[in-house]
Amino acid sequence: AAMAGGARRLYRRILQLHRALPPALRDLGDRYVKEEFRRHRAAGPAEAQRFLREWEATLIQQQINEDKQNLREKAVYGIQLTEENLNDFRDEQIGQLKELMDEATKPHKKITISKDSKYKT
């Protein structure tokens, strides 16, 4: 309940931006966003606010990257995480990022997220 209202708009906007991604990345990104929002559905007010603030920052960065891509021929996806960003993550989140990176960097393979992931809560 702590994430109602603006969370839905943010969620829809993120999924809308994913439409510009190649199919495999879109599928991966959509599933990741859905899992993260579902996982934080019952978060307390402070955690929910931080969660939404981080996703809003990510959304803004995605929009900036999209605008830059329109000016370049080669598309670039994702953002560079700073050491400060990484220090804010819990061990579980670092594990999720590692799993996401491993999946995203597999050569010529359809990207999937295991339903029985050890990092899933």
Side-chain angles (χ1 to χ4, degrees):
M3 290 189 0
R8 281 190 205 99
R9 283 190 302 277
L10 177 63
Y11 177 78
R12 284 193 300 262
R13 182 65 183 129
I14 292 167
L15 293 178
Q16 187 178 44
L17 275 173
H18 285 182
R19 292 178 189 163
L21 296 172
L25 285 177
R26 178 183 177 183
D27 185 49
L28 177 66
D30 287 354
R31 284 185 282 144
Y32 181 76
V33 168
K34 289 174 186 177
E35 279 185 24
E36 283 297 296
F37 272 76
R38 192 176 304 120
R39 192 174 287 137
H40 287 83
R41 194 178 286 160
E47 185 178 352
Q49 192 171 43
R50 182 169 183 224
F51 174 81
L52 293 175
R53 190 173 47 248
E54 291 298 323
W55 274 103
E56 286 170 357
T58 301
L59 176 66
I60 291 168
Q61 188 62 48
Q62 284 177 323
Q63 290 171 324
I64 290 168
N65 287 346
E66 188 177 78
D67 291 343
K68 286 180 181 177
Q69 284 173 206
N70 290 335
L71 300 174
R72 289 194 303 253
E73 290 183 29
K74 185 178 180 186
V76 177
Y77 300 104
I79 60 171
Q80 185 70 33
L81 293 173
T82 65
E83 188 173 336
E84 182 180 317
N85 293 134
L86 293 173
N87 288 336
D88 287 341
F89 290 149
R90 296 185 309 265
D91 289 343
E92 174 189 0
Q93 292 171 312
I94 296 293
Q96 289 172 326
L97 282 173
K98 171 79 169 96
E99 185 177 304
L100 184 62
M101 183 187 74
D102 291 345
E103 287 294 325
T105 57
K106 285 183 181 176
H108 308 293
K109 188 172 185 179
K110 186 175 189 246
I111 298 172
T112 59
I113 296 177
S114 173
K115 289 185 183 211
D116 57 13
S117 166
K118 69 179 181 178
Y119 299 109
K120 195 168 184 174
T121 59

